[in-house]
Amino acid sequence: MTPTFPADVTQVGLAVDVAAFAMHAGELRVLLVQRGELPHARDWALPGGLVRGGEELHEAALRVLHTETGVELEPRHLEQFHTFGEVGRDPRGRIVSVAHLAVLPHGTVEVSSGGHTLGAEWLSAHRPPPLAFDHRSILDRALTRLQLRLEYANLALEFLPDTFTLPELQGVHEAILDRPLDKRNFRKRLLAQGILTPSGERRVGVGRPAQLYRRAKSARAAAL
């Protein structure tokens, strides 16, 4: 006999929403899509959708990220960070969403519309346009999570190429925190943590060549 749920149990849809971040011209941006169907047609939203049968949650997150925005590159970081299940969050029915935080590779990742979206763009993470559903709450919590991960997981390094300067690393921290940091204190604290190692190379540009750093092997192992 096949087990059944009690008659008073509400059917619930399981979804994923993805807050995908990247650095663009020194600014932290989030990947948003413009919805092409009701509800909230033409409004901006985080990429998301229902989870398919037999699909793992991280697989669903990667699928909607690809189909709705055209992103083909694997995120450098992907994690579940909160479940949103408030009654009435979606007018189509009871939908519980497992929100994911993603960091896309360094540089401008090209995006395009796909699925049921009209467009996809990298927009300001701290000052986004009005968002559909409860996606502003999801984005705000994702930003808080990202800021916390700066302190104990060195997540800022995932926004940079393999080698980088200390000003570039400080720029990522400032963009995520949305505030300036004292240069001297920042460098002293980061170098004391032992998470960086000199690459032996310098970046030549205007002025004095800048020392390039990379993530220390011990820091990489601790982040996994």
Side-chain angles (χ1 to χ4, degrees):
M1 183 176 179
T2 303
T4 59
F5 289 107
D8 60 347
V9 172
T10 303
Q11 291 188 351
V12 178
L14 180 62
V16 292
D17 288 299
V18 184
F21 298 101
M23 291 292 297
H24 294 261
E27 181 185 26
L28 180 68
R29 299 193 187 181
V30 63
L31 183 52
L32 299 177
V33 297
Q34 190 174 33
R35 290 179 53 80
E37 58 185 10
L38 294 172
H40 296 287
R42 308 193 73 83
D43 287 347
W44 291 100
L46 297 170
L50 293 173
V51 178
R52 295 172 177 172
E55 189 176 43
E56 299 291 347
L57 291 176
H58 74 278
E59 294 173 339
L62 292 174
R63 173 177 56 80
V64 299
L65 193 60
H66 171 68
T67 57
E68 293 196 350
T69 71
V71 169
E72 297 182 356
L73 296 175
E74 287 286 321
R76 296 188 68 174
H77 178 84
L78 179 69
E79 66 169 285
Q80 300 175 23
F81 69 91
H82 194 72
T83 299
F84 293 82
E86 291 81 358
V87 175
R89 63 177 300 272
D90 193 315
R92 293 168 295 185
R94 187 69 190 276
I95 306 293
V96 174
S97 177
V98 180
H100 287 66
L101 183 156
V103 177
L104 272 293
H106 172 74
T108 302
V109 179
E110 293 188 2
V111 295
S112 61
S113 61
H116 299 290
T117 66
L118 299 177
E121 290 187 29
W122 288 103
L123 299 175
S124 172
H126 291 289
R127 284 162 283 278
L131 300 181
F133 306 107
D134 58 352
H135 287 194
R136 182 55 192 262
S137 295
I138 297 177
L139 175 58
D140 287 344
R141 188 175 283 267
L143 285 168
T144 299
R145 175 69 172 175
L146 187 57
Q147 291 166 352
L148 290 173
R149 297 280 279 170
L150 284 179
E151 298 302 320
Y152 69 88
N154 310 312
L155 198 57
L157 300 177
E158 302 297 348
F159 287 87
L160 294 165
D162 291 338
T163 58
F164 48 85
T165 65
L166 290 181
E168 289 170 343
L169 180 56
Q170 181 173 338
V172 173
H173 279 255
E174 292 178 335
I176 293 174
L177 295 172
D178 198 28
R179 60 180 174 86
L181 298 172
D182 180 78
K183 177 180 177 180
R184 182 175 180 180
N185 290 338
F186 175 82
R187 293 190 174 199
K188 182 178 179 180
R189 178 173 59 85
L190 262 292
L191 293 176
Q193 290 177 354
I195 63 173
L196 305 178
T197 184
S199 69
E201 302 174 345
R202 291 183 178 272
R203 180 169 296 158
V204 179
V206 178
R208 183 179 178 182
Q211 171 70 59
L212 290 173
Y213 291 83
R214 67 174 74 248
R215 186 204 302 251
K217 293 182 179 179
S218 58
R220 184 175 297 277
L224 296 177

